[in-house]
Amino acid sequence: GDSVTQMEGPVTLSEEAFLTINCTYTATGYPSLFWYVQYPGEGLQLLLKATKADDKGSNKGFEATYRKETTSFHLEKGSVQVSDSAVYFCALSNTGFQKLVFGTGTRLLVSP
Amino acid sequence: GAVVSQHPSWVICKSGTSVKIECRSLDFQATTMFWYRQFPKQSLMLMATSNEGSKATYEQGVEKDKFLINHASLTLSTLTVTSAHPEDSSFYICSASPAGREDTDTQYFGPGTRLTVL
């Protein structure tokens, strides 16, 4: 079945450091790919998405490119802030099914 | 827009009682809503898919008689935890996919409901 694998956390960075959170997937067909963020005590928020190969999703300085050849959707940000501290979930949705398959989540801790 | 609300945001109940959680899409119609359960520091586990006007589809291992789901309209789905026990204590999250829009493949999440069963 479909699955998503994320790097284990926590990822600990200093403010203004470069961020990469790896995400790879296994799926039949051509899934849509998502990054969701969950701030402490809150529900999930859609951060960005990409629906086909080579698409780049971007939002709030975060970017991720849909790489079909490596089945990856790594999340990057050039300069993190303390306010980016949260749990980041990579997910996929296969066409026609709508069901989201989530990775286990990666906790990001950014210190001043 | 894509706002999903849940009510209540937290609830404490006694063992053996039932609790109803509401999920509403505030600015879009959703033929499909989803219910998840999230344990501390873990990912989301899909419990069931709720379809407007029809029975919910439950994931393997989820007791349909314990977790009653009703999708009464295009903007409202409810989850009732019947005869709750302490092991049902968890964070319950719903999501909804917009119907008839280009982002129909995107799920928008509610803020979650923290259930504590004493």
Side-chain angles (χ1 to χ4, degrees), chain A residues 11-19 39 60-62 77-86 88 108-112:
Chain A
V11 174
T12 304
L13 295 173
S14 298
E15 203 164 28
E16 298 184 3
F18 184 86
L19 168 71
Y39 297 102
K60 299 181 182 180
F62 291 89
K77 186 175 185 182
S79 176
V80 293
Q81 306 300 312
V82 173
S83 57
D84 294 326
S85 298
Y88 292 81
L108 171 64
L109 300 171
V110 181
S111 56

Side-chain angles (χ1 to χ4, degrees), chain A residues 47-50 54-59 62-66 73 75:
Chain A
L47 181 59
L48 53 84
K49 71 175 187 178
D54 299 326
D55 268 3
K56 177 186 284 189
S58 61
N59 186 26
F62 291 89
E63 292 183 341
T65 301
Y66 190 142
F73 193 54
L75 182 68

